[in-house]
C-alpha cells in the first residue's frame, strides 16, 4: 500500500481515537476520575444510530443527533446516579464503580436479548430482535476516493470527514475552555476545588457540563466508527475505549492537544502495523509497548503537566 | 454600639478524631480589622475554612449579616459578601492574571461593578496590570499574593478574610501587603486577618484574638495586647 494513503488512513483512525480520548481526558482533568464506562456510552450511541437509521429510516443527520442527545443524557444520568454519591470517596472506589457501570452497559443488549427470548409477546420479540442484530451501515461508509477538480486524492471521503471533524472539535473545545466563563470555571475546578468554591463556582454543575461534553463526543465517536463499517455490538466501545484511553495517557491526561496528539499517534501506528501483514497480528502488542516506552521516559505523557503531579 | 458583621459562636470542628477547634467564639464589627493570631497548628486555617463553608462544624455556628452560614453551600457564601484569600494563595496557575481576576467576579452580574472593582485592584496593584496577560503561575510569590487579594476583591466583598498573607514573603513585601490591608479598611472593607506574624498583624489590627490549640486564650484591643507580657514572650519574641 502506498505510504501517503496509509498515513492518511492512520490519521483518520487516529481522529476517531482522538475524539474518544478527548472524552476521557476532559472528564479525568476536571472530575479527576477515570470514566471507565466512556467506551460503553459510545456503544449505546452506535445502537441508537443503527436502529434509527436502518430500522426507522431516519435521515442520517437525525440519527446522529438523536445518538448524541441520548449519549449526553446517559452520561449525565451515570454521573448523577453512580459517580456523584462517591464524590470525596477514595479513587479506587470510584474506579470500581466505573468498571461496574461499564459492565452494566455492556450487559444491556444481553438483558434485552433474554427478555426477547422469554417473551410471549411476538410484537415485542420482533422489535427487540430488530434492535439486537445490528448490521453494518453501508450507506454511511464512503470508501470512494475524494475527487476534486478531476484529481483523485489518496483518501476516502469518510476518512477526510473524520480528520476534519476531529480538528474542528479540538479547536472548538480549546476555544470554549479558553474563552467562555464556564470553560475558565472548568480550569479552576480542575486546578483546585476549594479555591473554585471560594469563587462561587458550583462544582457539581461544572462536572455535569464536563460529562455532557464528554458524552456528546462519545456520540460523535460512535458515528465516526460506524462510517468505518464496524457494526454495532455490545463490545463496540470496549477496545477502542482502552486504546483511546492509552492515547490520552500518552498525550498527557488532562491535556486537550495531548489527547489529539496521542490519538493520531496510535492511529497511525496501528494503521502501519495493519498494512504490513507480518506485523498486523501484533498491532495491539506493538501499540501498547510503545505506550509503555513513552511513559517510561515521560511519566506524565508527551504534553502532560508534571507540575500537577507534585501536589 | 458598632454593628456586628460576623459572629462565631462556640465553633467546634474535627478532622476525624482530631478536634481542631474546641468551641471558639469571637466577633468582627463592621469596618474593623480583627486579627486572629496563633502558632502553626493552632487552628487558624480551620477557623477560616469553616467560616466560608469549606469545612462543616461539629457544633456551634457562624452568623454573617444575621444569616447562619453553617448550612449554606460553600459556593453560595461568596455572593453574600464574604471574600476569602486562602492560605498559600491558591491562584489558578494555568490561567492568565486577568482570567484569575474575572473568576473572582464569577458570581457578579453587573459589568459596571466588575469594571469598577477591576480598576480598584489595578490601582492597588499596578504590577498586576502590567502582567495582566501573563499566566498566573509565572508570577513571583509577592505578586501571587496580590493576585489572590485582588481576586477576592473582584467579588465585591463587604468583608474579606485573609489566611497568612505574609507567608513566604520577604520583609519588604510583608510591609507592602500589610499596608494594602490597611488600605482595604479605608476602602470600607471589614477584615479578618489570620497571622503567625503577630507583631505585624497587631500593628494594623483594631482588636486581636489569640488562638492556642483550638481555643481562644486571650482577646482585646491590639493596643493593649501588644504590651501584654505573656504575648510579648510567646508571640513577639521579646
Ligand atoms: N486535613 C487535615 N486532616 C487532619 N488534621 C488536620 C487537617 N488540617 C489540619 N489538621 C490539624 O488541625 C489542627 C489545626 O490546623 P490548622 O487549622 O491548619 O492550623 P493553623 O492554620 O493555625 O496552622 C492541626 O493540629 C492540624 O494538624
Ligand atoms: Mg494555617
Amino acid at each position: 500500500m502506498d505510504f501517503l494513503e496509509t498515513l492518511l488512513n492512520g490519521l483518520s483512525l487516529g481522529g476517531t481515537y482522538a475524539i474518544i480520548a478527548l472524552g476521557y481526558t476532559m472528564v479525568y482533568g476536571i472530575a479527576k476520575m477515570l470514566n471507565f464506562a466512556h467506551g460503553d456510552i459510545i456503544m449505546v450511541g452506535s445502537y441508537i444510530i443503527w436502529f434509527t437509521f436502518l430500522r426507522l429510516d431516519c435521515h442520517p443527520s437525525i440519527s446522529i443527533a438523536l445518538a448524541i442527545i441520548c449519549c449526553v443524557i446517559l452520561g449525565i444520568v451515570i454521573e448523577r446516579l453512580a459517580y456523584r454519591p462517591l464524590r470525596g470517596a477514595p479513587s479506587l472506589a470510584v474506579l470500581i464503580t466505573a468498571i461496574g457501570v461499564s459492565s452494566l452497559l455492556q450487559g444491556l443488549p444481553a438483558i434485552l436479548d433474554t427478555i426477547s427470548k422469554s417473551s410471549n409477546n411476538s410484537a415485542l420479540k420482533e422489535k427487540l430482535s430488530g434492535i439486537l442484530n445490528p448490521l453494518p451501515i453501508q450507506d454511511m461508509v464512503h470508501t470512494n476516493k475524494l475527487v476534486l477538480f478531476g484529481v483523485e486524492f489518496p483518501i476516502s471521503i469518510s476518512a477526510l470527514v473524520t480528520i476534519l471533524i476531529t480538528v474542528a472539535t479540538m479547536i472548538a473545545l480549546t476555544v470554549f475552555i479558553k474563552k467562555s466563563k464556564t470553560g475558565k470555571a472548568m480550569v479552576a475546578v480542575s486546578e483546585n476545588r476549594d479555591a473554585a468554591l471560594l469563587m462561587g463556582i458550583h462544582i457539581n454543575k461544572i462536572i455535569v457540563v464536563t460529562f455532557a461534553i464528554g458524552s456528546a463526543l462519545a456520540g460523535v465517536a460512535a458515528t465516526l466508527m460506524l462510517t468505518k463499517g464496524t457494526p454495532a455490538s455490545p463490545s463496540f466501545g470496549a477496545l477502542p475505549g482502552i486504546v483511546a484511553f492509552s492515547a490520552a495517557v500518552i498525550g498527557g491526561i488532562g491535556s486537550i492537544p495531548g489527547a489529539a496528539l496521542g490519538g493520531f499517534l496510535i492511529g497511525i501506528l496501528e494503521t502501519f502495523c495493519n498494512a504490513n501483514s507480518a506485523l498486523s497480528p501484533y498491532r495491539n502488542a506493538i501499540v501498547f509497548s510503545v505506550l509503555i516506552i513513552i511513559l517510561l521516559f515521560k511519566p506524565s505523557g508527551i504534553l502532560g503537566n508534571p507540575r500537577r503531579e507534585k501536589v | 454600639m458598632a454593628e456586628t458583621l460576623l459572629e462565631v459562636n462556640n465553633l467546634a470542628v474535627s478532622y476525624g478524631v482530631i478536634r481542631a477547634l474546641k468551641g471558639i467564639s469571637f466577633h468582627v464589627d463592621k469596618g474593623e480589622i480583627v486579627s486572629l493570631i496563633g502558632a502553626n497548628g493552632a487552628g487558624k486555617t480551620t477557623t477560616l475554612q469553616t467560616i466560608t463553608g469549606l469545612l462543616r462544624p461539629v457544633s456551634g455556628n457562624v452568623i454573617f449579616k444575621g444569616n447562619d452560614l453553617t448550612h449554606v453551600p460553600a459556593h453560595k457564601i461568596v455572593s453574600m459578601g464574604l471574600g476569602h484569600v486562602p492560605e498559600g494563595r491558591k491562584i489558578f496557575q494555568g490561567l492568565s492574571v486577568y482570567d484569575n481576576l474575572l473568576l473572582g467576579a464569577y458570581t457578579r452580574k453587573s459589568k459596571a461593578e466588575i469594571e469598577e472593582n477591576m480598576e480598584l485592584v489595578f490601582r492597588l496593584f499596578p504590577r498586576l496590570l502590567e502582567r495582566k496577560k501573563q499566566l498566573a503561575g509565572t508570577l513571583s510569590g509577592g505578586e501571587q499574593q496580590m493576585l489572590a487579594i485582588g481576586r477576592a476583591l473582584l467579588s465585591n466583598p463587604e468583608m474579606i478574610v485573609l489566611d497568612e498573607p505574609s507567608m513566604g514573603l520577604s520583609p519588604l513585601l510583608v510591609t507592602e501587603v500589610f499596608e494594602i490591608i490597611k488600605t482595604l479598611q479605608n476602602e470600607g472593607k471589614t477584615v479578618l486577618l489570620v497571622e503567625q506574624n503577630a507583631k505585624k498583624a497587631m500593628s494594623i489590627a483594631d482588636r486581636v484574638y489569640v488562638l492556642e490549640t483550638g481555643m481562644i486564650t486571650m482577646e482585646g484591643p491590639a493596643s493593649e495586647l501588644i504590651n501584654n507580657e505573656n504575648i510579648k514572650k510567646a508571640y513577639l519574641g521579646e
Side-chain angles (χ1 to χ4, degrees):
Chain A
M1 206 193 257
D2 168 51
F3 177 82
L4 185 63
E5 190 172 348
T6 313
L7 181 69
L8 289 171
N9 283 336
L11 277 176
S12 162
L13 177 65
T16 312
Y17 286 148
I19 291 280
I20 309 174
L22 281 172
Y24 277 108
T25 229
M26 293 263 308
V27 168
Y28 184 88
I30 289 147
K32 297 284 177 273
M33 66 163 292
L34 170 53
N35 181 18
F36 214 83
H38 187 65
D40 307 297
I41 298 177
I42 299 174
M43 178 272 289
V44 172
S46 73
Y47 271 89
I48 289 166
I49 294 177
W50 118 258
F51 183 70
T52 55
F53 181 62
L54 282 190
R55 289 274 176 248
L56 302 182
D57 279 330
C58 292
H59 188 271
S61 59
I62 305 278
S63 282
I64 293 168
L66 274 175
I68 292 177
I69 292 168
C70 291
C71 287
V72 167
I73 294 172
L74 181 63
I76 292 175
V77 168
I78 292 173
E79 192 279 327
R80 187 72 193 80
L81 294 185
Y83 301 154
R84 193 180 300 179
L86 292 175
R87 198 89 81 237
S91 52
L92 194 57
V94 182
L95 179 65
I96 290 170
T97 305
I99 293 174
V101 172
S102 163
S103 315
L104 177 73
L105 291 178
Q106 282 189 37
L108 277 182
I111 294 171
L112 291 181
D113 192 41
T114 312
I115 295 174
S116 139
K117 286 210 176 88
S118 59
S119 163
N120 295 322
N121 181 338
S122 61
L124 176 75
K125 238 181 171 136
E126 200 180 325
K127 270 220 177 73
L128 284 176
S129 71
I131 301 175
L132 288 171
N133 300 300
L135 303 165
I137 308 179
Q138 295 304 345
D139 301 18
M140 287 176 77
V141 184
H142 292 274
T143 44
N144 298 346
K145 294 274 182 287
L146 174 73
V147 180
L148 264 186
F149 309 114
V151 183
E152 194 189 77
F153 288 81
I155 183 167
S156 71
I157 296 168
S158 300
L160 180 69
V161 167
T162 304
I163 296 171
L164 292 180
I165 287 181
T166 310
V167 173
T169 306
M170 216 191 82
I171 293 172
L173 267 182
T174 309
V175 170
F176 172 73
I177 288 183
K178 283 231 152 68
K179 299 287 175 208
S180 75
K181 189 172 168 180
T182 306
K184 290 170 192 172
M186 286 170 131
V187 177
V189 171
S190 101
E191 279 201 26
N192 191 312
R193 277 193 199 177
D194 275 357
L197 279 174
L198 293 179
M199 303 301 109
I201 296 169
H202 192 343
I203 308 276
N204 279 338
K205 244 193 212 157
I206 295 296
I207 289 181
V208 167
V209 173
T210 308
F211 268 85
I213 295 176
S215 307
L217 292 176
V220 175
T223 312
L224 296 179
M225 286 164 66
L226 289 171
T227 64
K228 299 205 164 23
T230 327
S233 72
S235 61
F236 185 78
L239 184 62
I242 290 178
V243 173
F245 171 66
S246 314
V249 173
I250 288 186
I253 190 129
S255 152
I256 289 177
L261 180 68
F264 283 127
L265 213 66
I266 291 192
I268 290 169
L269 192 65
E270 189 178 320
T271 309
F272 273 99
C273 290
N274 264 345
N276 181 322
S277 56
L279 290 180
S280 86
Y282 307 107
R283 58 166 191 215
N284 283 327
I286 294 172
V287 165
F288 285 100
S289 310
V290 170
L291 168 80
I292 292 169
I293 291 168
I294 291 181
L295 291 184
L296 278 178
F297 289 98
K298 234 169 164 290
S300 50
I302 300 171
L303 299 179
N305 187 352
R307 187 189 64 205
R308 217 162 275 163
E309 320 292 325
K310 220 163 53 182
V311 180
Chain B
M1 195 51 204
E3 183 192 336
T4 301
L5 201 56
L6 178 82
E7 207 182 307
V8 169
N9 300 307
N10 287 315
L11 201 66
V13 181
S14 292
Y15 296 99
V17 293
I18 303 168
R19 177 60 57 101
L21 293 181
K22 300 163 183 162
I24 63 168
S25 302
F26 63 92
H27 67 96
V28 182
D29 289 342
K30 202 169 166 59
E32 275 191 308
I33 296 183
V34 168
S35 184
L36 191 63
I37 62 172
N40 197 11
K44 304 182 297 297
T45 299
T46 306
T47 306
L48 293 192
Q49 292 193 335
T50 313
I51 290 173
T52 50
L54 298 179
L55 293 171
R56 295 293 168 193
V58 177
S59 62
N61 62 19
V62 176
I63 311 285
F64 180 66
K65 292 202 288 183
N67 303 307
D68 189 344
L69 297 187
T70 336
H71 300 289
V72 178
H75 69 270
K76 291 201 172 143
I77 289 180
V78 61
S79 51
M80 298 170 81
L82 191 52
H84 185 156
V85 181
E87 183 176 60
R89 306 126 173 64
K90 310 245 164 37
I91 54 155
F92 304 115
Q93 316 242 342
L95 293 174
S96 69
V97 167
Y98 191 68
D99 283 343
N100 268 271
L101 293 172
L102 275 183
L103 277 176
Y106 189 77
T107 58
R108 308 313 296 177
K109 302 271 182 296
S110 152
K111 279 229 161 78
E113 181 205 278
I114 295 175
E115 214 33 62
E116 204 174 294
N117 284 319
M118 208 54 103
E119 274 167 30
L120 167 71
V121 168
F122 289 143
R123 188 150 40 80
L124 290 175
F125 309 111
R127 255 176 296 173
L128 293 185
L129 182 58
E130 285 164 32
R131 304 195 180 340
K132 199 170 149 183
K133 298 224 166 93
Q134 218 167 299
L135 279 189
T138 64
L139 297 183
S140 72
E143 289 162 349
Q144 293 197 5
Q145 187 61 61
M146 290 167 191
L147 180 56
I149 296 174
R151 190 179 62 174
L153 285 174
L154 256 295
S155 71
N156 204 31
E158 232 179 294
M159 175 166 177
I160 184 158
V161 303
L162 300 112
D163 198 339
E164 301 208 39
S166 74
M167 194 204 274
L169 300 187
S170 69
L172 210 66
L173 278 169
V174 172
T175 306
E176 198 178 327
V177 164
F178 279 92
E179 267 164 19
I180 295 284
I181 296 170
K182 198 74 193 166
T183 316
L184 294 182
Q185 185 182 35
N186 298 335
E187 293 281 339
K189 308 289 181 196
T190 304
V191 176
L192 174 59
L193 170 66
V194 149
E195 263 300 336
Q196 277 194 64
N197 189 337
K199 197 172 198 163
K200 280 281 181 194
M202 287 170 117
S203 74
I204 61 163
D206 298 303
R207 289 186 302 112
V208 175
Y209 292 88
V210 179
L211 191 62
E212 275 175 30
T213 57
M215 283 186 296
I216 288 182
T217 54
M218 248 182 289
E219 60 179 278
S223 52
E224 275 174 31
L225 285 194
I226 207 159
N227 295 314
N228 179 298
E229 286 306 319
N230 293 329
I231 298 252
K232 275 188 180 167
K233 255 188 232 136
Y235 296 102
L236 304 178
E238 288 176 21

